[in-house]
Amino acid sequence: MRSVFWLLGLAALAVALALLVGHNEATLTLFWSPYRFDVSFNFVVFCLIGGFVLLYAALRAFSMLRDLPAQAQRWRSQQIERAVVGSVMVALSHQLAGRFVRAQSAAQQALDQLKGVAPGQWPRRDQLQLLAHLLLAESAQSLQNRERRDENLQAALSPQLARSAPEAHEGALLRAVRWAVEDHDVDAARARLAELPQGAGRRIQALRLKLRIARLGGETAEALETARVLAKHRAFSPEASRSIVRGLALDALREAHDMAQLDAFWSGLDATERAMPEVALAAARRANQLASPAASEQDRALIHTRVRAWLDPLWPEFGALDGAQQRQLVLALEPGLAELDAAGLARLEQLQRQWPQNGLLQYLAGQACMRRQLWGKAAQMLTQASHSLDDPGLLRRTWRGLAQLAQERGDETAAQAAWKRAALLD
């Protein structure tokens, strides 16, 4: 379309010239006393046009001659800029390839080339300088040269470079946090992390570092909250997220010093975390450990009630639990069997009938019947458990229970045989 307009313009100019000079017989008279000159008007017009063209060409040539020093300086600046960019690219390539000494040399070469360039001379001059310092510090970290690393890190974090290249400055801060974590310096890592802008602190990379800092510093609650945020943003796979959250929850449960702290942590868990068998079993086990013998009967009964409430969601999935988890479930419920009501006992018997060959449920049902002085049912369940259990500890308790039941009915021979079987398992 532009070519069409040019052709139309040239055609219009040709028509105008044809109309003006085609049959123009006018003359222009010039007086130079005592002379008189008659000159064709067309000739004068062409002379004026030619003079204008010559004058414009002369001015352009003069301007180009005057700009030659600036163009030469700009050319030299571009050559230096290309050399610096090339050195930074070479340093990055060597860094990624694990050739840290060569990466240091290339980054140092870029910094040497930048010494002759004034700040602000290039649009990306400060960014290139920051990247060169950062690559040099990264290579020094890989070579365990902390002195050189810190020197270049401080240069990269200078306020002038931070104002000119904010994105690269945030990257340098994240690197500084990671290096502090690798040095196991929790205070330095937290200080560097606090320097990040609010938006950068919510990025996945920053949250990953925050998680590592919290775990390194033993801040389990903070680590768990950070892991939840990372899982929400899909920073890990679902399996990895579940494993990380489960591990942190177990650590927090082990750190609980009393029931109030344990209750507060359990209340802070969401539904998916409470449904994890490992978490529920660990909470119940820790609660039983906190139920000291010096506590009152009322306090112990309250603890056992809470344990049963925490473990209730596991019963419908009892068959999906592995053998170790089933054993932990039985051990966690056994201390509170004395407070088990009739409804709880009925449900336990129903579960035992649902899995009649399960020795753990036979053992638990037998112990529950003993607590309620149901001697016949207790003897039946424990006898079945003695044939199906393979856990030495539970089997020893089974034979002790059978011995007590034999004593209750006055069968000393059976009681002695049961005590002997229990003693052989010690």
Side-chain angles (χ1 to χ4, degrees), residues 273-321:
E273 294 166 354
R274 294 177 187 175
M276 295 180 181
E278 299 87 354
V279 175
L281 291 171
R285 183 168 57 252
R286 185 56 180 163
N288 288 327
Q289 293 173 353
L290 294 174
S292 62
S296 63
E297 292 291 338
Q298 183 178 1
D299 291 340
R300 286 200 297 271
L302 182 61
I303 291 175
H304 295 153
T305 302
R306 291 177 182 173
V307 168
R308 287 195 299 273
W310 294 347
L311 297 178
D312 277 345
L314 299 183
W315 286 115
E317 301 179 358
F318 183 81
L321 302 178

Side-chain angles (χ1 to χ4, degrees), residues 49-303:
I49 294 174
F52 174 77
V53 172
L54 290 175
L55 179 61
Y56 177 78
L59 291 176
R60 288 289 297 172
F62 178 75
S63 176
M64 293 176 64
L65 289 174
R66 187 182 60 183
D67 291 342
L68 279 178
Q71 291 181 2
Q73 184 178 2
R74 186 163 54 250
W75 181 83
R76 288 193 297 270
S77 178
Q78 290 176 351
Q79 295 301 313
I80 296 175
E81 184 177 8
R82 291 173 182 173
V84 172
V85 172
S87 298
V88 172
M89 295 294 291
V90 170
L92 179 60
S93 300
H94 287 313
Q95 176 68 34
L96 294 176
R99 307 170 79 171
F100 305 118
V101 176
R102 295 190 180 186
Q104 278 188 335
S105 301
Q108 187 61 52
Q109 183 179 0
L111 291 174
D112 295 338
Q113 292 167 342
L114 284 170
K115 290 180 179 178
V117 181
Q121 185 173 346
W122 304 337
R124 300 289 183 179
R125 188 263 182 199
D126 293 338
Q127 185 178 18
L128 287 171
Q129 183 178 357
L130 193 152
L131 290 176
H133 279 299
L134 192 58
L135 286 170
L136 195 57
E138 181 74 29
S139 300
Q141 168 69 12
S142 300
L143 296 172
Q144 297 300 310
N145 189 347
R146 290 184 174 84
E147 182 178 357
R148 192 173 187 184
R149 179 203 68 186
D150 294 338
E151 177 184 353
N152 284 275
L153 180 60
Q154 288 300 119
L157 295 177
S158 64
Q160 177 185 352
L161 298 181
R163 289 191 297 268
S164 303
E167 294 84 3
H169 176 72
E170 293 171 3
L173 284 174
L174 289 173
R175 289 291 184 180
V177 174
R178 195 194 73 181
W179 296 335
V181 171
E182 292 177 358
D183 294 341
H184 299 281
D185 191 346
V186 178
D187 296 334
R190 289 188 181 276
R192 292 297 187 187
L193 192 64
E195 295 180 22
L196 283 171
Q198 186 176 4
R202 293 195 296 265
R203 295 172 189 163
I204 290 180
Q205 182 66 20
L207 291 175
R208 286 176 181 268
L209 291 171
K210 185 178 180 181
L211 175 61
R212 295 180 62 184
I213 293 171
R215 299 185 71 174
L216 187 63
E219 300 292 338
T220 308
E222 180 184 359
L224 181 58
E225 184 63 29
T226 306
R228 289 170 179 162
V229 176
L230 286 170
K232 180 180 178 181
H233 291 289
R234 299 182 180 180
F236 307 108
S237 64
E239 295 78 11
S241 300
R242 179 182 174 88
S243 176
I244 292 173
V245 171
R246 181 175 62 244
L248 292 172
L250 294 178
D251 292 340
L253 289 171
R254 284 191 290 267
E255 294 173 1
H257 300 296
D258 51 35
M259 280 303 301
Q261 188 176 3
L262 185 61
D263 280 336
F265 176 76
W266 181 263
S267 300
L269 296 176
D270 57 31
T272 57
E273 294 166 354
R274 294 177 187 175
M276 295 180 181
E278 299 87 354
V279 175
L281 291 171
R285 183 168 57 252
R286 185 56 180 163
N288 288 327
Q289 293 173 353
L290 294 174
S292 62
S296 63
E297 292 291 338
Q298 183 178 1
D299 291 340
R300 286 200 297 271
L302 182 61
I303 291 175

